[in-house]
Amino acid sequence: MSPPPPPSRWPAPYKAAISFTMDNLGEAQDVLNGKWPHPIGTHPAVTNQLPRMLSLLEKHNIKATYFAESWSLSAYPDAIKSLQDAGHEVAWHGYQHEVWKNLSPEAEQENFDKSWEEARKAGIKYEGFRPPGGSINDGTWGLLKEHGVRYVSPLGELGIGKEGVVVLPFEWRGVDAFWYMDKFRGIREDHGEREELENPEEDLKGWLTSKMEEIRQTGGYLSVLFHPFLQTDEKKFAMLEEVLGRIAAEKDVWVAPCKEVAEWVRGHPGSFEGGR
């Protein structure tokens, strides 16, 4: 007789945990880089794609976390309100999507200061941070603690990191941009994927299906990341709905916003060692 499986480290009856997340709200990065020739507040990712994504999330009863740039809070107050009214979490993604690992300590401090002022005006209290580019600096941990940020979502390992900040990592293959965007060809090659993908939607869906089975077996965590600006055609929306349906059907997997997962991890430190 085989031994019984080890007890789950997640709330009963769940064997694993998933957060559905979104990044990049509107044209913040394009404005920073001087590549937005249109009126502020008119990005189709927010005006067209996001409402459709929110409808799909509601259909499948999934609460998400949106990592939004603080610059965008005043540009899209109605979108922020719609996210909050639907029960989704609004978390932090830098001021204007600056590549975080490239910031000096002085630039990091300025980014925090500007972002927290925008959040104060918008009535938002940040629980979490996803660094644009996926990496944070050594000095970031202290600033996160100082500003009351309780979790961070970089590339890395699940657990409790420096300064007691919970780490809820993502990985590149769980990001739609990894499969969809030409600029990720080098990262795909580094991960053993073909530079050119014939059917990226099916490749993404196949990887997610395999990964969800893996975390069920290992008691792991998965952060799924979709960008509204990449949901540009019916094929991508059809694939997104398949993914959401698959996530919602996993009755033994806890599907929750990042802040809820982070709260659980923080309350059970013995089950979640490490984190970086």
Side-chain angles (χ1 to χ4, degrees):
M1 180 181 296
S2 60
S8 173
R9 54 182 175 171
W10 300 105
Y14 302 115
K15 298 178 180 179
I18 290 177
S19 297
F20 183 87
T21 72
M22 295 174 278
D23 279 10
N24 297 46
L25 187 68
E27 65 269 23
Q29 185 180 25
D30 285 342
V31 170
L32 175 67
N33 296 329
K35 297 180 179 180
W36 184 253
H38 312 291
I40 299 299
T42 61
H43 201 292
V46 183
T47 60
N48 296 335
Q49 285 99 288
L50 180 58
R52 189 169 176 182
M53 292 180 74
L54 293 181
S55 293
L56 291 176
L57 288 166
E58 181 180 14
K59 176 180 178 180
H60 294 284
N61 194 29
I62 292 174
K63 303 302 181 185
T65 296
Y66 203 130
F67 291 95
E69 299 85 350
S70 298
W71 178 93
S72 300
L73 300 180
S74 60
Y76 292 101
D78 291 343
I80 296 299
K81 186 177 187 301
S82 69
L83 285 162
Q84 294 177 312
D85 287 350
H88 303 300
E89 176 189 8
V90 177
W92 184 40
H93 200 40
Y95 185 71
Q96 275 183 284
H97 203 276
E98 302 83 357
V99 178
W100 200 261
K101 69 178 181 179
N102 294 341
L103 296 182
S104 67
E106 294 77 18
E108 277 196 64
Q109 182 66 68
E110 180 184 7
N111 206 294
F112 270 88
D113 292 343
K114 292 192 299 183
S115 296
W116 255 248
E117 176 60 17
E118 291 298 325
R120 182 193 65 78
K121 290 188 290 187
I124 290 174
K125 183 180 184 299
Y126 290 127
E127 294 271 343
F129 171 50
R130 174 170 284 159
S135 300
I136 62 174
N137 304 313
D138 288 341
T140 307
W141 298 98
L143 288 169
L144 291 172
K145 181 179 181 181
E146 176 186 336
H147 286 78
V149 179
R150 299 167 70 82
Y151 74 86
V152 64
S153 182
L155 298 163
E157 297 177 3
L158 174 67
I160 300 177
K162 297 178 182 179
E163 304 289 354
V165 177
V166 173
V167 178
L168 299 181
F170 74 92
E171 53 185 296
W172 284 126
R173 286 191 177 94
V175 180
D176 59 353
F178 175 90
W179 305 95
Y180 291 170
M181 296 185 71
D182 286 342
K183 66 183 289 186
F184 281 80
R185 291 173 60 184
I187 297 176
R188 287 198 294 268
E189 184 179 18
D190 290 343
H191 284 71
E193 302 288 347
R194 301 182 304 278
E195 291 184 33
E196 298 289 346
L197 301 177
E198 295 178 2
N199 196 335
E201 292 86 2
E202 289 299 318
D203 289 331
L204 169 55
K205 185 176 68 173
W207 182 85
L208 286 174
T209 299
S210 175
K211 186 67 178 183
M212 289 167 64
E213 180 59 29
E214 176 188 318
I215 65 168
R216 289 179 69 256
Q217 298 300 321
T218 63
Y221 169 76
L222 174 61
S223 180
V224 179
L225 168 53
F226 277 72
H227 296 83
F229 76 86
L230 288 177
Q231 312 316 307
T232 54
D233 57 45
E234 293 304 313
K235 187 176 182 180
K236 287 184 172 59
F237 267 108
M239 200 283 300
L240 171 61
E241 180 156 24
E242 281 194 61
V243 169
L244 293 175
R246 178 79 164 82
I247 291 173
E250 293 287 340
K251 300 307 181 185
D252 56 356
V253 176
W254 184 28
V255 183
C258 292
K259 65 179 180 180
E260 295 182 18
V261 178
E263 183 178 0
W264 177 267
V265 172
R266 187 180 307 105
H268 300 80
S271 298
F272 299 94
E273 297 178 359
R276 62 178 178 84

